[in-house]
Amino acid sequence: MVITCRDKSPGETMTISLYAHRLSQPSRAAEILLRELGIAYDWQEVDFANGETREPHFAEQINPFQTIPALVVSGDDPDFVLGESHAIMRYLCRIAADAGGDAENAQHWYPGDRDARRSARIDQWMAWHHNGIRRYDMFHDIMNLHLTLPMLKYELQSTALKPLQDGLRSGLATLEAHFERQPQDTPAAPTLCGDAHPTLADLTITCELYQIVAVGYRFDRYPQVAQWLNGMAERDHFKRVSEEVLEQGRTIREASGDYLELDAFA
Ligand SMILES: N[C@@H](CCC(=O)N[C@@H](CS)C(=O)NCC(=O)O)C(=O)O
């Protein structure tokens, strides 16, 4: 399925395929960016939960790291193939003009060589993302818990989810303290670099946190984080691409009874 957010220019030969799934945070971040930049893409859904990324053809031809998202750019011979969401997103900002997207807009998300300091600041938060937030992201554990036997749910909440909640609290506190220190030049929702426009750092981290918000966790104890998340979640493409995860979260919440500690950050 080719998803077009704009008309293709005549003579355009580059085709971008995104191998992804809407229940995967880094996949959503890459897809939202494609849409924000107005780059047309061919959507290739990968059933990662059933091991499709581990099949030999995927590892050999799409992504040796055996994960999604992965990007395949056809037009040159051979195709250009790229894994890792952060690398994919930076690359998309760099090639936005050649891919028929909005190059001006891409500068806001990630300026690259045009602004070394701003890019370094974005890189810093993106580097922190994996160990500061993603490592403690409970969403896939919550999905597993949802599918497990009722008698194990309470036990797993304390053995599996509790340590993740404790780790995530520290990441949320880091973000909240940053927002408190940061002079924001806009009365709107805060952003990590303090600009009116969000960057790749905002996108990648909010996509991660939003999936536990979808289950029903609230961040009342971290009001600036909550405001920042809401600001990103109100963007049209974020909303559209997050519909499935929102639905999945609702299903889990409605079935969960009280075994999930939804007030862990409230
Ligand atoms: N650091 C990678 C993480 C990618 C990742 O963990 N993807 C998960 C889905 S959210 C995956 O493909 N898992 C498949 C597997 O581990 O078999 C990125 O940012 O792209």
PDB file of all heavy atoms in Angstrom, residues 2 34 64 76 83 98 102 113 115 118 142 153 159-160 168 173 177 184 189 192-193 211 215 224 238 244-245 264:
ATOM      1  N   VAL A   2       0.674   2.141  -0.947  1.00  0.00           N
ATOM      2  CA  VAL A   2       1.454   3.378  -0.951  1.00  0.00           C
ATOM      3  C   VAL A   2       0.632   4.456  -0.257  1.00  0.00           C
ATOM      4  O   VAL A   2      -0.526   4.679  -0.595  1.00  0.00           O
ATOM      5  CB  VAL A   2       1.799   3.842  -2.383  1.00  0.00           C
ATOM      6  CG1 VAL A   2       2.544   5.182  -2.344  1.00  0.00           C
ATOM      7  CG2 VAL A   2       2.638   2.791  -3.089  1.00  0.00           C
ATOM      8  N   LEU A  34       7.584  10.801   8.419  1.00  0.00           N
ATOM      9  CA  LEU A  34       7.334  10.761   6.959  1.00  0.00           C
ATOM     10  C   LEU A  34       6.126  11.624   6.618  1.00  0.00           C
ATOM     11  O   LEU A  34       6.140  12.394   5.659  1.00  0.00           O
ATOM     12  CB  LEU A  34       7.089   9.317   6.512  1.00  0.00           C
ATOM     13  CG  LEU A  34       8.335   8.457   6.294  1.00  0.00           C
ATOM     14  CD1 LEU A  34       7.980   6.973   6.291  1.00  0.00           C
ATOM     15  CD2 LEU A  34       9.035   8.836   4.991  1.00  0.00           C
ATOM     16  N   PRO A  64      19.550  -6.357   9.155  1.00  0.00           N
ATOM     17  CA  PRO A  64      20.336  -7.390   9.859  1.00  0.00           C
ATOM     18  C   PRO A  64      20.140  -7.338  11.373  1.00  0.00           C
ATOM     19  O   PRO A  64      20.405  -8.313  12.067  1.00  0.00           O
ATOM     20  CB  PRO A  64      21.787  -7.057   9.479  1.00  0.00           C
ATOM     21  CG  PRO A  64      21.770  -5.657   8.956  1.00  0.00           C
ATOM     22  CD  PRO A  64      20.391  -5.404   8.424  1.00  0.00           C
ATOM     23  N   ASP A  76      18.098   3.925  -6.831  1.00  0.00           N
ATOM     24  CA  ASP A  76      19.480   3.641  -7.208  1.00  0.00           C
ATOM     25  C   ASP A  76      19.645   2.132  -7.180  1.00  0.00           C
ATOM     26  O   ASP A  76      18.832   1.431  -6.579  1.00  0.00           O
ATOM     27  CB  ASP A  76      20.452   4.246  -6.181  1.00  0.00           C
ATOM     28  CG  ASP A  76      20.377   5.759  -6.184  1.00  0.00           C
ATOM     29  OD1 ASP A  76      20.164   6.324  -7.266  1.00  0.00           O
ATOM     30  OD2 ASP A  76      20.504   6.346  -5.090  1.00  0.00           O
ATOM     31  N   GLY A  83      18.326   0.501   8.995  1.00  0.00           N
ATOM     32  CA  GLY A  83      17.592   0.162  10.211  1.00  0.00           C
ATOM     33  C   GLY A  83      17.844   1.221  11.279  1.00  0.00           C
ATOM     34  O   GLY A  83      18.578   2.192  11.047  1.00  0.00           O
ATOM     35  N   ASP A  98      14.957  15.838  -1.768  1.00  0.00           N
ATOM     36  CA  ASP A  98      15.102  14.853  -2.860  1.00  0.00           C
ATOM     37  C   ASP A  98      13.951  13.851  -2.866  1.00  0.00           C
ATOM     38  O   ASP A  98      13.631  13.264  -3.899  1.00  0.00           O
ATOM     39  CB  ASP A  98      16.415  14.058  -2.712  1.00  0.00           C
ATOM     40  CG  ASP A  98      17.615  14.960  -2.935  1.00  0.00           C
ATOM     41  OD1 ASP A  98      17.435  16.034  -3.540  1.00  0.00           O
ATOM     42  OD2 ASP A  98      18.710  14.595  -2.474  1.00  0.00           O
ATOM     43  N   ASP A 102       9.010  18.335   2.342  1.00  0.00           N
ATOM     44  CA  ASP A 102       9.140  19.741   2.691  1.00  0.00           C
ATOM     45  C   ASP A 102      10.478  19.959   3.413  1.00  0.00           C
ATOM     46  O   ASP A 102      10.602  19.726   4.619  1.00  0.00           O
ATOM     47  CB  ASP A 102       7.952  20.112   3.608  1.00  0.00           C
ATOM     48  CG  ASP A 102       7.947  21.565   3.999  1.00  0.00           C
ATOM     49  OD1 ASP A 102       8.979  22.242   3.830  1.00  0.00           O
ATOM     50  OD2 ASP A 102       6.901  22.021   4.492  1.00  0.00           O
ATOM     51  N   ASP A 113      23.753  19.661   9.444  1.00  0.00           N
ATOM     52  CA  ASP A 113      24.946  20.516   9.418  1.00  0.00           C
ATOM     53  C   ASP A 113      24.615  22.009   9.444  1.00  0.00           C
ATOM     54  O   ASP A 113      25.488  22.832   9.688  1.00  0.00           O
ATOM     55  CB  ASP A 113      25.770  20.221   8.149  1.00  0.00           C
ATOM     56  CG  ASP A 113      26.287  18.798   8.175  1.00  0.00           C
ATOM     57  OD1 ASP A 113      26.352  18.217   9.279  1.00  0.00           O
ATOM     58  OD2 ASP A 113      26.595  18.253   7.099  1.00  0.00           O
ATOM     59  N   ASP A 115      22.938  23.649  11.573  1.00  0.00           N
ATOM     60  CA  ASP A 115      23.006  24.202  12.927  1.00  0.00           C
ATOM     61  C   ASP A 115      23.582  23.115  13.847  1.00  0.00           C
ATOM     62  O   ASP A 115      22.848  22.288  14.400  1.00  0.00           O
ATOM     63  CB  ASP A 115      21.598  24.641  13.383  1.00  0.00           C
ATOM     64  CG  ASP A 115      21.632  25.398  14.704  1.00  0.00           C
ATOM     65  OD1 ASP A 115      22.591  25.212  15.474  1.00  0.00           O
ATOM     66  OD2 ASP A 115      20.693  26.176  14.956  1.00  0.00           O
ATOM     67  N   ARG A 118      22.299  23.026  17.631  1.00  0.00           N
ATOM     68  CA  ARG A 118      20.919  22.565  17.812  1.00  0.00           C
ATOM     69  C   ARG A 118      20.838  21.058  17.517  1.00  0.00           C
ATOM     70  O   ARG A 118      20.179  20.310  18.228  1.00  0.00           O
ATOM     71  CB  ARG A 118      19.995  23.371  16.895  1.00  0.00           C
ATOM     72  CG  ARG A 118      18.544  23.192  17.221  1.00  0.00           C
ATOM     73  CD  ARG A 118      17.682  24.363  16.751  1.00  0.00           C
ATOM     74  NE  ARG A 118      16.307  23.951  16.857  1.00  0.00           N
ATOM     75  CZ  ARG A 118      15.664  23.341  15.875  1.00  0.00           C
ATOM     76  NH1 ARG A 118      16.245  23.133  14.730  1.00  0.00           N
ATOM     77  NH2 ARG A 118      14.411  22.965  16.048  1.00  0.00           N
ATOM     78  N   ILE A 142       3.239  -4.969  29.437  1.00  0.00           N
ATOM     79  CA  ILE A 142       1.815  -4.871  29.788  1.00  0.00           C
ATOM     80  C   ILE A 142       0.994  -5.714  28.808  1.00  0.00           C
ATOM     81  O   ILE A 142       0.045  -6.405  29.203  1.00  0.00           O
ATOM     82  CB  ILE A 142       1.356  -3.389  29.765  1.00  0.00           C
ATOM     83  CG1 ILE A 142       2.030  -2.614  30.902  1.00  0.00           C
ATOM     84  CG2 ILE A 142      -0.161  -3.287  29.886  1.00  0.00           C
ATOM     85  CD1 ILE A 142       1.872  -1.101  30.806  1.00  0.00           C
ATOM     86  N   LYS A 153      -1.176 -12.552  37.027  1.00  0.00           N
ATOM     87  CA  LYS A 153      -1.153 -11.124  36.719  1.00  0.00           C
ATOM     88  C   LYS A 153      -0.634 -10.279  37.883  1.00  0.00           C
ATOM     89  O   LYS A 153       0.216  -9.413  37.694  1.00  0.00           O
ATOM     90  CB  LYS A 153      -2.547 -10.638  36.292  1.00  0.00           C
ATOM     91  CG  LYS A 153      -2.940 -11.099  34.879  1.00  0.00           C
ATOM     92  CD  LYS A 153      -4.287 -10.525  34.503  1.00  0.00           C
ATOM     93  CE  LYS A 153      -4.947 -11.199  33.327  1.00  0.00           C
ATOM     94  NZ  LYS A 153      -4.346 -10.917  32.021  1.00  0.00           N
ATOM     95  N   THR A 159       6.683  -8.284  40.050  1.00  0.00           N
ATOM     96  CA  THR A 159       8.037  -8.738  39.686  1.00  0.00           C
ATOM     97  C   THR A 159       8.525  -8.122  38.376  1.00  0.00           C
ATOM     98  O   THR A 159       9.691  -7.800  38.242  1.00  0.00           O
ATOM     99  CB  THR A 159       8.097 -10.285  39.564  1.00  0.00           C
ATOM    100  OG1 THR A 159       7.095 -10.687  38.626  1.00  0.00           O
ATOM    101  CG2 THR A 159       7.876 -10.968  40.884  1.00  0.00           C
ATOM    102  N   ALA A 160       7.604  -7.942  37.410  1.00  0.00           N
ATOM    103  CA  ALA A 160       8.041  -7.442  36.097  1.00  0.00           C
ATOM    104  C   ALA A 160       7.818  -5.945  35.929  1.00  0.00           C
ATOM    105  O   ALA A 160       8.710  -5.223  35.484  1.00  0.00           O
ATOM    106  CB  ALA A 160       7.321  -8.216  34.992  1.00  0.00           C
ATOM    107  N   LEU A 168      11.404   4.196  35.266  1.00  0.00           N
ATOM    108  CA  LEU A 168      10.756   5.226  34.448  1.00  0.00           C
ATOM    109  C   LEU A 168      10.562   6.519  35.242  1.00  0.00           C
ATOM    110  O   LEU A 168      10.700   7.616  34.705  1.00  0.00           O
ATOM    111  CB  LEU A 168       9.418   4.707  33.912  1.00  0.00           C
ATOM    112  CG  LEU A 168       8.743   5.585  32.865  1.00  0.00           C
ATOM    113  CD1 LEU A 168       9.659   5.813  31.669  1.00  0.00           C
ATOM    114  CD2 LEU A 168       7.443   4.943  32.382  1.00  0.00           C
ATOM    115  N   ALA A 173      11.442  12.228  36.017  1.00  0.00           N
ATOM    116  CA  ALA A 173      11.936  13.314  36.877  1.00  0.00           C
ATOM    117  C   ALA A 173      13.005  14.124  36.129  1.00  0.00           C
ATOM    118  O   ALA A 173      13.064  15.356  36.243  1.00  0.00           O
ATOM    119  CB  ALA A 173      12.503  12.741  38.173  1.00  0.00           C
ATOM    120  N   ALA A 177      12.509  18.093  35.450  1.00  0.00           N
ATOM    121  CA  ALA A 177      13.496  19.071  35.927  1.00  0.00           C
ATOM    122  C   ALA A 177      14.034  19.879  34.741  1.00  0.00           C
ATOM    123  O   ALA A 177      14.253  21.085  34.846  1.00  0.00           O
ATOM    124  CB  ALA A 177      14.638  18.355  36.645  1.00  0.00           C
ATOM    125  N   GLN A 184      11.207  28.669  28.149  1.00  0.00           N
ATOM    126  CA  GLN A 184      10.489  28.365  26.902  1.00  0.00           C
ATOM    127  C   GLN A 184      10.121  29.688  26.235  1.00  0.00           C
ATOM    128  O   GLN A 184       9.600  30.583  26.883  1.00  0.00           O
ATOM    129  CB  GLN A 184       9.216  27.561  27.186  1.00  0.00           C
ATOM    130  CG  GLN A 184       9.459  26.234  27.889  1.00  0.00           C
ATOM    131  CD  GLN A 184      10.038  25.165  26.963  1.00  0.00           C
ATOM    132  OE1 GLN A 184       9.804  25.183  25.760  1.00  0.00           O
ATOM    133  NE2 GLN A 184      10.791  24.240  27.521  1.00  0.00           N
ATOM    134  N   ALA A 189       2.785  24.305  24.506  1.00  0.00           N
ATOM    135  CA  ALA A 189       3.371  23.151  25.186  1.00  0.00           C
ATOM    136  C   ALA A 189       4.899  23.207  25.086  1.00  0.00           C
ATOM    137  O   ALA A 189       5.435  23.651  24.074  1.00  0.00           O
ATOM    138  CB  ALA A 189       2.847  21.881  24.527  1.00  0.00           C
ATOM    139  N   LEU A 192      11.659  19.925  24.067  1.00  0.00           N
ATOM    140  CA  LEU A 192      12.944  19.642  24.711  1.00  0.00           C
ATOM    141  C   LEU A 192      14.007  20.691  24.410  1.00  0.00           C
ATOM    142  O   LEU A 192      14.852  20.980  25.246  1.00  0.00           O
ATOM    143  CB  LEU A 192      13.439  18.253  24.283  1.00  0.00           C
ATOM    144  CG  LEU A 192      12.710  17.089  24.965  1.00  0.00           C
ATOM    145  CD1 LEU A 192      13.074  15.764  24.317  1.00  0.00           C
ATOM    146  CD2 LEU A 192      13.030  17.060  26.455  1.00  0.00           C
ATOM    147  N   CYS A 193      13.992  21.261  23.209  1.00  0.00           N
ATOM    148  CA  CYS A 193      15.007  22.265  22.863  1.00  0.00           C
ATOM    149  C   CYS A 193      14.497  23.677  23.097  1.00  0.00           C
ATOM    150  O   CYS A 193      15.192  24.645  22.780  1.00  0.00           O
ATOM    151  CB  CYS A 193      15.468  22.072  21.423  1.00  0.00           C
ATOM    152  SG  CYS A 193      16.342  20.517  21.213  1.00  0.00           S
ATOM    153  N   GLN A 211       2.490   5.400  24.596  1.00  0.00           N
ATOM    154  CA  GLN A 211       1.855   4.069  24.599  1.00  0.00           C
ATOM    155  C   GLN A 211       1.460   3.613  26.004  1.00  0.00           C
ATOM    156  O   GLN A 211       0.543   2.811  26.149  1.00  0.00           O
ATOM    157  CB  GLN A 211       2.690   3.036  23.854  1.00  0.00           C
ATOM    158  CG  GLN A 211       4.113   2.871  24.279  1.00  0.00           C
ATOM    159  CD  GLN A 211       4.884   2.029  23.254  1.00  0.00           C
ATOM    160  OE1 GLN A 211       4.524   1.929  22.093  1.00  0.00           O
ATOM    161  NE2 GLN A 211       5.944   1.391  23.704  1.00  0.00           N
ATOM    162  N   VAL A 215      -2.647   3.115  27.763  1.00  0.00           N
ATOM    163  CA  VAL A 215      -3.176   2.082  28.666  1.00  0.00           C
ATOM    164  C   VAL A 215      -3.941   2.732  29.831  1.00  0.00           C
ATOM    165  O   VAL A 215      -4.817   2.102  30.425  1.00  0.00           O
ATOM    166  CB  VAL A 215      -2.021   1.195  29.210  1.00  0.00           C
ATOM    167  CG1 VAL A 215      -2.528   0.164  30.208  1.00  0.00           C
ATOM    168  CG2 VAL A 215      -1.296   0.503  28.073  1.00  0.00           C
ATOM    169  N   GLN A 224       4.723  19.158  33.599  1.00  0.00           N
ATOM    170  CA  GLN A 224       5.294  19.679  32.341  1.00  0.00           C
ATOM    171  C   GLN A 224       5.459  18.555  31.329  1.00  0.00           C
ATOM    172  O   GLN A 224       5.286  18.757  30.124  1.00  0.00           O
ATOM    173  CB  GLN A 224       6.654  20.318  32.606  1.00  0.00           C
ATOM    174  CG  GLN A 224       6.576  21.412  33.611  1.00  0.00           C
ATOM    175  CD  GLN A 224       6.935  22.749  32.963  1.00  0.00           C
ATOM    176  OE1 GLN A 224       6.653  22.996  31.805  1.00  0.00           O
ATOM    177  NE2 GLN A 224       7.574  23.581  33.722  1.00  0.00           N
ATOM    178  N   PHE A 238       0.411  12.552  14.438  1.00  0.00           N
ATOM    179  CA  PHE A 238       0.641  11.767  15.659  1.00  0.00           C
ATOM    180  C   PHE A 238      -0.659  11.044  16.018  1.00  0.00           C
ATOM    181  O   PHE A 238      -0.675   9.847  16.326  1.00  0.00           O
ATOM    182  CB  PHE A 238       1.083  12.713  16.787  1.00  0.00           C
ATOM    183  CG  PHE A 238       1.666  12.020  17.998  1.00  0.00           C
ATOM    184  CD1 PHE A 238       3.018  12.133  18.300  1.00  0.00           C
ATOM    185  CD2 PHE A 238       0.872  11.261  18.841  1.00  0.00           C
ATOM    186  CE1 PHE A 238       3.555  11.500  19.420  1.00  0.00           C
ATOM    187  CE2 PHE A 238       1.398  10.627  19.955  1.00  0.00           C
ATOM    188  CZ  PHE A 238       2.754  10.764  20.245  1.00  0.00           C
ATOM    189  N   GLU A 244      -4.194   2.922  16.528  1.00  0.00           N
ATOM    190  CA  GLU A 244      -4.179   1.494  16.907  1.00  0.00           C
ATOM    191  C   GLU A 244      -3.662   1.290  18.331  1.00  0.00           C
ATOM    192  O   GLU A 244      -4.188   0.480  19.085  1.00  0.00           O
ATOM    193  CB  GLU A 244      -3.306   0.667  15.950  1.00  0.00           C
ATOM    194  CG  GLU A 244      -3.989   0.325  14.643  1.00  0.00           C
ATOM    195  CD  GLU A 244      -3.699   1.369  13.563  1.00  0.00           C
ATOM    196  OE1 GLU A 244      -3.443   2.551  13.925  1.00  0.00           O
ATOM    197  OE2 GLU A 244      -3.737   1.017  12.382  1.00  0.00           O
ATOM    198  N   VAL A 245      -2.606   2.051  18.679  1.00  0.00           N
ATOM    199  CA  VAL A 245      -2.038   1.843  20.012  1.00  0.00           C
ATOM    200  C   VAL A 245      -3.008   2.354  21.082  1.00  0.00           C
ATOM    201  O   VAL A 245      -3.132   1.764  22.163  1.00  0.00           O
ATOM    202  CB  VAL A 245      -0.617   2.465  20.118  1.00  0.00           C
ATOM    203  CG1 VAL A 245      -0.622   3.936  20.389  1.00  0.00           C
ATOM    204  CG2 VAL A 245       0.199   1.758  21.164  1.00  0.00           C
ATOM    205  N   ALA A 264       0.716   4.858  39.213  1.00  0.00           N
ATOM    206  CA  ALA A 264       2.134   4.789  39.596  1.00  0.00           C
ATOM    207  C   ALA A 264       2.873   6.111  39.437  1.00  0.00           C
ATOM    208  O   ALA A 264       3.858   6.372  40.124  1.00  0.00           O
ATOM    209  CB  ALA A 264       2.840   3.711  38.774  1.00  0.00           C
TER     210      ALA A 264
END
